[in-house]
Amino acid sequence: MRKVNLRGAWLRQTDLSKADMKGVLFGELPYLKVGSAVGSCAYSPDGKSFSIGFYDGYIDVYSTVNWEMIRTLKGHGHVVRHIEYSPDGTWMCSGSCDKTVRVWIMESGVCQNILDHPDEVNCVAYSPHGDQVACACDDNTIRLWDPLTGNYCQILSGHEDTVNCVVYSPKENQVISGSSDSTVRLWNSVTGECSHTFDGHSGWVWSIAFCPQGDQVASASWDKTIRLWDVGSGKCRHILEGHTNNVNGVAYSLKGDQVISGSQDGTVRVWDVQSGSCRHTLTGHTNTVTCVAYSPKGDMIASGGADNMVRLWDVSIGGSRYISSGHNQEVEDVKCSPNGNIIASCSMDRTIRLWDVETGTCLRTLSGHHDTIFSVAFSPQGDHLSSGGAGNTIRFWSVDKGTCQQILPGHTRWVLSIVYSPQGDLVASASGDGTVRLWNTTTGEHCGTLKGHKNGVRSVAYSPDGSLIATGSLDCAVRIWNATTIACTCSLMGHDGWVNDVVFSPQGEQLASASGDCTLRLWSVATGECCWILIGHHSWVRRVAYSPKGALLASVSDDKTLRLWDAVTGQSRAVVQHFQGIVYAVAWIPTTETNYLVTGCQDGSVLKWQVIEKEEQEQEEEKEKRQCHVKLCWSATNGSLTMTGTSIQDVRGLTSLHKQLLTQRGAIGEPENPFRVTSKKVITMTSVVSRMRQQSDRPAADSPSITNISNEQPSEQQSEQQGPTAGDGRQDEQQVEQVAS
């Protein structure tokens, strides 16, 4: 059957009793909200228990069957820096800043032995047979112990600074360590000799891991990189770059084909060992990620953080093929082809990417610009594309071939905006040099220049009939020009900040402008009067776009939100939050059947959204009010996945395991902080359940798709009247995502 992902879902009065729950995925499993920052975490070898070491010196042991806490191990007087199970799972060692290593009997939770050290213990590791424990210490040494007798076996000396991590090789008699001296050392555990030193890191080596085959080592460093080393030759195979802060943890997958890393940038990254490329970036932690671990079956990733959270990630969802490789720097502009089949995005990474609207896969990458590309535009026929950027030039591209056909110089400053005339015979380019230039798309000849703004021109737009041109400038003015005579017919004043974007309504009767003064203005083209001032954003408004029918406006801002507005009344209709960075671009997909739009973000992501309009009756006022709900259809990012919570009420058909998982995190029954009690919170899942039933006997689909619903956020007045939502950082609880695979 088609798999249905219920991560982030709000289900109410839904009957799942006839659904095959084996096809239901919950995305991120219930996170564990704990009372202290997490120092370390580890799975038992059989995967049935999961332990967490805390900064307060406690260790909590959980059952992975129902995620209930089994017991708390008490004894350490300071931060538990590392924990590890013995190979048979009967014992566990923990190393702490209290200068001790404790050996625990897991069946009873009793501390069997205490191994004293002369300085803080940063890491512990069991030998493959469990008869020896290696401890990395602040005194620049690694000490090898018999965990049962507490006797020293060996002291490994050679590092010139604190030893932060240590691990045994799956092969016999090898120990590897990482130090604040920026080196990795390979030791013979019998003789105590250092057989090799791996040099390359420029910062502290904070975590280290052997691949299951024992021929490769991964080291995580505070130089923001992970290095993969060949044990035999000592050569560095790959340098994994992508984290924006120190890397604290690293671990290999069960097969050794993937490496995961956790960083002080708050993310967990999944890397391909063969190519060294980043497959996914898992976001959700709100602070430093201190540790990462794979489950013994390899189907789950656990990460602990300084945000007092342990998050569990479903590897099967993280590996879904609909997550495409995206831009690796911020996206400056997105545009849709006239037939609605292709999305073009441009970025600071100097590339243009063409995306399939339905699947989110990258069809083609256009390279040629030597600097940031600020704007792209499709020709009316959709067979050509134009682009402009920091190189002061305009480029014409063939969409089918992906080749650059012409390069047009002329501007003396950056080209900030570009647009085709409705007939497709001209291209208008706006520049920081204060002018707009018109170009013949066939010959590339310069046809005219619009002059009048007192500063750079950030945006340019043609009216639907091609008779008018609108421009927005750094001089805070909006100007309307006669496209034939190139004369300014009207100057619209009112904004107190740069005008970042201008766009005509589909009917050509209205003009919208977005400004750095945090507002949007709707102007009458006929009279030049300001009809509405749209207030709601809390920072620069970057872009604005009309829906194909002109009923809605979409705007994006530096406040990391996407807002929908009623183009007639000027009222706010929906707010989409929780973007990972500034939202730089927005565009509607031209279709009359369903409203879809696309956003481009600072984190390099390109997201496709569906906007659902429906009438809802307000109980207090007893009248119908139009509401918008926004679904995330697919995410084409540089490996970014956002895992959100799940809230389910009055649902039948869940197994006891599903109930335990969801009850543990407050998903079944009343949430800890109830959602606002209005009809807006209810998302009907009838269609999802119906599809599950109808397709339970069908073969799996060839290509997957995603749907993720995010409702409009309440206004400040509504929040005061209706009480708190589900808690800080969880306003996107009301989401549904379906994964077809």
Side-chain angles (χ1 to χ4, degrees):
M1 65 171 287
R2 294 166 67 91
K3 290 182 180 178
V4 178
N5 183 11
L6 299 182
R7 68 171 188 176
W10 174 287
L11 308 184
R12 190 175 184 182
Q13 295 178 342
T14 304
D15 185 3
L16 300 180
S17 57
K18 295 183 180 180
D20 181 5
M21 296 306 292
K22 292 181 180 179
V24 177
L25 304 175
F26 288 87
E28 177 199 10
L29 290 182
Y31 58 76
L32 306 175
K33 189 172 184 179
V34 292
S36 176
V38 178
S40 181
C41 62
Y43 277 95
S44 64
D46 59 7
K48 294 181 179 179
S49 66
F50 180 79
S51 295
I52 307 169
F54 296 102
Y55 277 30
D56 60 10
Y58 291 174
I59 302 170
D60 286 348
V61 183
Y62 287 83
S63 166
T64 58
V65 177
N66 53 24
W67 290 102
E68 293 181 353
M69 190 168 68
I70 301 172
R71 64 177 57 89
T72 297
L73 309 181
K74 301 178 182 180
H76 284 296
H78 211 305
V79 177
V80 179
R81 293 293 304 275
H82 196 78
I83 54 177
E84 182 162 324
Y85 283 86
S86 64
D88 61 4
T90 58
W91 305 84
M92 185 173 71
C93 274
S94 57
S96 169
C97 293
D98 64 5
K99 304 181 183 181
T100 68
V101 172
R102 288 179 176 260
V103 182
W104 308 87
I105 304 173
M106 294 312 297
E107 185 176 358
S108 62
V110 173
C111 180
Q112 175 69 20
N113 213 336
I114 301 176
L115 312 178
D116 292 315
H117 286 69
D119 214 327
E120 295 181 3
V121 180
N122 298 313
C123 187
V124 293
Y126 269 99
S127 64
H129 298 296
D131 56 345
Q132 199 174 74
V133 169
C135 306
C137 195
D138 265 8
D139 65 357
N140 306 353
T141 67
I142 302 102
R143 294 172 182 261
L144 308 185
W145 300 78
D146 184 316
L148 298 183
T149 64
N151 295 327
Y152 279 121
C153 301
Q154 192 74 250
I155 299 179
L156 312 181
S157 301
H159 281 295
E160 298 175 0
D161 207 334
T162 297
V163 184
N164 300 312
C165 48
V166 64
V167 66
Y168 277 89
S169 167
K171 300 179 181 180
E172 292 293 330
N173 303 330
Q174 283 186 330
V175 173
I176 200 156
S177 59
S179 168
S180 295
D181 63 12
S182 304
T183 67
V184 175
R185 289 177 177 256
L186 182 67
W187 309 83
N188 185 303
S189 60
V190 176
T191 64
E193 296 179 354
C194 176
S195 56
H196 199 89
T197 300
F198 304 86
D199 291 305
H201 283 296
S202 58
W204 295 356
V205 180
W206 202 252
S207 180
I208 201 163
F210 261 108
C211 75
Q213 295 76 24
D215 59 347
Q216 191 180 84
V217 168
S219 57
S221 170
W222 280 22
D223 62 8
K224 307 177 187 178
T225 70
I226 301 99
R227 287 178 178 252
L228 305 184
W229 307 87
D230 183 272
V231 174
S233 65
K235 293 182 179 180
C236 180
R237 292 182 178 179
H238 290 293
I239 301 176
L240 311 183
E241 297 178 308
H243 283 296
T244 59
N245 210 325
N246 302 334
V247 187
N248 292 328
V250 66
Y252 274 93
S253 64
L254 186 64
K255 296 180 180 179
D257 59 338
Q258 290 184 344
V259 165
I260 56 172
S261 58
S263 166
Q264 290 184 20
D265 62 14
T267 68
V268 176
R269 287 180 177 254
V270 183
W271 308 84
D272 181 83
V273 169
Q274 187 66 30
S275 65
S277 61
C278 179
R279 289 186 175 181
H280 309 293
T281 302
L282 310 180
T283 59
H285 284 285
T286 58
N287 206 327
T288 295
V289 179
T290 56
C291 53
V292 291
Y294 263 103
S295 66
K297 294 182 180 179
D299 58 342
M300 299 297 303
I301 293 171
S303 59
D307 57 359
N308 298 2
M309 292 285 187
V310 174
R311 291 188 174 269
L312 308 175
W313 312 91
D314 190 325
V315 175
S316 63
I317 295 178
S320 296
R321 51 182 173 149
Y322 57 75
I323 302 297
S324 306
S325 177
H327 292 289
N328 53 37
Q329 292 191 58
E330 63 192 45
V331 177
E332 296 290 343
D333 195 14
V334 290
K335 294 288 170 55
C336 297
S337 62
N339 61 10
N341 294 332
I342 299 175
I343 295 166
S345 60
C346 63
S347 168
M348 283 186 68
D349 65 9
R350 308 175 187 179
T351 68
I352 300 167
R353 289 179 180 261
L354 304 182
W355 308 90
D356 185 285
V357 167
E358 292 301 320
T359 65
T361 56
C362 184
L363 303 175
R364 190 170 287 111
T365 301
L366 312 182
S367 301
H369 281 281
H370 302 299
D371 215 321
T372 300
I373 308 169
F374 291 113
S375 183
V376 290
F378 278 98
S379 65
Q381 297 75 27
D383 56 345
H384 286 85
L385 190 77
S386 60
S387 60
N392 306 349
T393 62
I394 297 95
R395 288 177 179 253
F396 290 166
W397 306 82
S398 167
V399 173
D400 292 334
K401 298 178 181 179
T403 56
C404 179
Q405 298 183 324
Q406 289 190 73
I407 303 175
L408 310 179
H411 284 292
T412 58
R413 298 290 298 274
W414 294 353
V415 179
L416 301 174
S417 179
I418 199 161
V419 64
Y420 277 89
S421 66
Q423 295 76 25
D425 57 336
L426 294 174
V427 161
S429 58
S431 170
D433 61 15
T435 68
V436 174
R437 290 176 176 257
L438 305 182
W439 310 85
N440 186 294
T441 56
T442 303
T443 64
E445 294 181 356
H446 176 221
C447 303
T449 303
L450 281 63
K451 296 182 179 180
H453 282 292
K454 300 176 182 179
N455 210 327
V457 184
R458 286 185 63 88
S459 181
V460 60
Y462 269 97
S463 63
D465 61 4
S467 63
L468 299 175
I469 296 175
T471 56
S473 169
L474 305 183
D475 62 11
C476 307
V478 176
R479 288 177 177 258
I480 298 179
W481 311 75
N482 184 300
T484 304
T485 64
I486 317 181
C488 179
T489 62
C490 188
S491 183
L492 312 179
M493 304 301 294
H495 283 297
D496 295 327
W498 295 356
V499 180
N500 298 317
D501 198 15
V502 291
V503 61
F504 282 95
S505 65
Q507 296 77 25
E509 299 173 352
Q510 197 177 66
L511 181 72
S513 57
S515 172
D517 63 9
C518 309
T519 69
L520 298 100
R521 287 178 179 252
L522 305 185
W523 310 85
S524 169
V525 174
T527 65
E529 294 180 354
C530 180
C531 306
W532 296 103
I533 302 177
L534 311 184
I535 301 175
H537 285 293
H538 305 298
S539 188
W540 267 35
V541 185
R542 291 279 180 172
R543 294 292 173 87
V544 60
Y546 279 93
S547 63
K549 295 181 180 180
L552 292 173
L553 272 172
S555 61
V556 293
S557 166
D558 284 17
D559 63 10
K560 303 180 184 180
T561 67
L562 160 69
R563 287 180 177 263
L564 299 183
W565 311 84
D566 190 304
V568 177
T569 65
Q571 293 181 343
S572 176
R573 298 278 297 280
V575 183
V576 180
Q577 298 179 330
H578 304 294
F579 286 93
Q580 297 301 310
I582 295 171
V583 192
Y584 282 104
V586 63
W588 293 84
I589 298 175
T591 174
T592 56
E593 297 178 358
T594 311
N595 284 331
Y596 291 99
L597 54 80
V598 183
T599 55
C601 192
Q602 184 182 26
D603 62 3
S605 64
V606 177
L607 309 177
K608 176 186 172 184
W609 306 86
Q610 181 184 0
V611 179
I612 302 173
E613 297 183 80
K614 63 181 181 179
E615 305 288 340
E616 291 190 351
Q617 185 172 348
E618 293 290 328
Q619 295 178 357
E620 298 86 353
E621 303 176 4
E622 295 185 353
K623 65 179 182 179
E624 290 186 344
K625 182 179 179 181
R626 300 180 70 190
Q627 296 295 330
C628 286
H629 299 290
V630 185
K631 297 180 182 178
L632 176 61
C633 299
W634 53 253
S635 171
T637 75
N638 195 28
S640 178
L641 284 177
T642 300
M643 302 299 189
T644 56
T646 303
S647 191
I648 298 183
Q649 288 190 344
D650 303 327
V651 178
R652 292 178 292 165
L654 293 173
T655 65
S656 58
L657 173 58
H658 295 134
K659 289 180 180 178
Q660 288 170 336
L661 288 172
L662 295 172
T663 302
Q664 187 273 332
R665 58 154 315 146
I668 295 180
E670 290 298 325
E672 294 180 2
N673 295 311
F675 287 105
R676 52 197 176 105
V677 186
T678 71
S679 59
K680 299 176 186 177
K681 72 178 182 180
V682 180
I683 297 175
T684 304
M685 285 296 296
T686 305
S687 60
V688 176
V689 178
S690 175
R691 188 172 302 156
M692 292 170 65
R693 292 175 178 171
Q694 292 173 2
Q695 301 188 358
S696 59
D697 298 327
R698 296 184 187 179
D702 293 332
S703 61
S705 62
I706 312 174
T707 304
N708 190 357
I709 295 179
S710 178
N711 281 338
E712 177 183 0
Q713 301 300 318
S715 65
E716 293 181 3
Q717 183 178 3
Q718 288 173 325
S719 298
E720 293 174 357
Q721 293 174 351
Q722 297 164 352
T725 61
D728 295 339
R730 296 182 60 190
Q731 296 166 333
D732 58 344
E733 291 277 357
Q734 306 174 26
Q735 298 181 337
V736 175
E737 179 167 352
Q738 304 173 24
V739 178
S741 63

